[in-house]
Amino acid sequence: MAKDYYEILGVSKSASGDEIKRAFRKKAHEHHPDKGNGNAEKFKEANEAYQVLSDSEKRQQYDQYGTTFEQAQRNGGGFNYQGGNPFAGFSAGGGSAYGGDFGGFDFGGDLGDIFGDLFGSRQARASRRSRGIDLEMGINVSFKEAVFGTEKNIILEKQDTCKVCQGSGAKPNTKIITCPKCHGQGQIRTQRRTIFGTIASASACDRCDGLGKLPEDPCSACSGMGFKRQEKTLAIKIPAGIDDGQRIRIAGEGEAGYRGSSPGDLYLAVSVAGHSDFKRDGFSLLKELPLSFTQASLGAKILVKTLDGDIELKIPASTQSGTVFRVKEKGVPHLNQPDRRGDLMVTVRVVIPKKLSKKEKELIKQLAQEQGESVEIDESLWNSIKESF
Ligand SMILES: [Zn+2]
Ligand SMILES: [Zn+2]
C-alpha cells in the first residue's frame, strides 16, 4: 500500500511549502526518537514524506503518479502498488488532517509561533471549502497501450462550470457585489475575554460563504452556485510507460469550484490488462522462448516476437534451459522520458517433445548410446505395471 504523505504530515494536498515545513517540524518534534515517548518509525515516515513533499519536482511526480521515480528504483524497478487501493486516505477535498474545528485562536499575540500554525491551517480549510472537489475514476488500457502510450476519450458527469454565468454565479449582465455582512473580509471575527487573555476567533461569513463577495442577482441556471451537473468528454493522454495501479492527475478537471473558485483535479487510476506473450517488470519486458533440445544443443536463429515486431535472435550452441538473452531497448519506455527504453529479457525454455515418431525415438536412442547413457525401458514390465492399476 502506498503511503499518503499528506496524511502522514497532516496537511492538505494544496498545502504550501511553508505549511509542509511547519507540519514536518511539528511531527519531527513530536516523534523524535531521542524523546521518552518518541516513535522512531513515525519519525522516519515523517522524514520520508518531507523529503518528497518539500521537493517540488518529487512532489509533482508523487501527485501525478502516486510515487517518485527515485522510490520506484529503490523498490527494484517495479512501481510499488502491490494491490491495495491507491486512493485509500485520499478522500475528496483532502484528508481529515485538522481533526477538531479550530476557529483560529489568537492568544493575544504572545505565542506567535502557535498562532502562525493555527492561522495557516485555518486558511487551508477556508480555501478547501470553495475549491472544487477532486474526482477519481478508473481507466482500462491494454498492455501495449500502456507501453507505448495512447489517447482515450472519457465521458464523465460532474459539477462543471455553468455555461450561462461562466461560473460567476451571477445572472448575465448583473453585478458581483462586496458582501455587506463581512465587508468583503469573508470572515466574521469575534473577541472574548477569558482568564487566558483575549481570545479572538474567526469563522467564515455565512452570507457570502467566506468569499467576501456575492452575486447581486443569482444566476437562475445554477442557482448562483456557478456550477451545474453536466456531461463532459475529455481527451486523455496516457503516457508511454505507465504501469498498472499508477494514477494520472489531470489538473483542473475535477468538479468546478464554488462561484468561480479553482476547480478540483481529476485522478485516473490506470488498470493495465495482461498479455499472453509478455510480462512486465518495471521497464523490462519479460518473455519465454521455447526451444527444442536440438536447437538448444546445436544453436539456431529464431524469430522472436517483440512489441515492435519480429526480430531474429541468434541462439548459440549449447544453450542451457533458463538462459536469459537481453535484447536492448525493446522493453518499456521510461515514464516521461520516451527516449529511454528498458530491455526485453528472453528466457529460454528447452522443451521435451510430448510425442516422438518411431524414427525420432531411434535417433535419440542412438544419441544416448553414443553418450553411454542407459535409457532402455522394458516395455513389457511397463505394461504389467499399468495393468495392475
Ligand atoms: Zn450559472
Ligand atoms: Zn460575507
Side-chain angles (χ1 to χ4, degrees), residues 189-306:
R189 282 190 162 268
T190 49
Q191 286 202 347
R192 266 189 308 140
R193 280 216 157 267
T194 74
I195 51 166
F196 304 113
T198 306
I199 295 185
S201 65
S203 54
C205 171
D206 57 348
R207 180 84 187 271
C208 62
D209 297 297
L211 295 181
K213 52 190 181 165
L214 69 168
E216 197 175 33
D217 197 359
C219 167
S220 45
C222 63
S223 315
M225 304 292 276
F227 50 66
K228 226 189 140 181
R229 198 147 198 96
Q230 50 198 302
E231 258 189 16
K232 185 167 188 185
T233 304
L234 288 175
I236 303 294
K237 200 170 176 304
I238 309 283
I242 196 99
D243 209 348
D244 191 49
Q246 289 183 301
R247 64 186 172 188
I248 301 171
R249 173 171 160 254
I250 317 282
E253 287 297 349
E255 299 208 319
Y258 183 64
R259 282 187 198 150
S261 305
S262 55
D265 299 330
L266 171 64
Y267 288 87
L268 297 173
V270 178
S271 276
V272 181
H275 195 288
S276 51
D277 295 326
F278 301 96
K279 281 197 168 54
R280 219 178 124 165
D281 180 15
F283 299 115
S284 295
L285 272 185
L286 313 179
K287 180 189 172 62
E288 291 206 340
L289 179 68
L291 282 186
S292 71
F293 167 73
T294 44
Q295 285 172 322
S297 304
L298 304 175
K301 283 180 179 167
I302 308 279
L303 272 188
V304 176
K305 217 193 208 178
T306 76

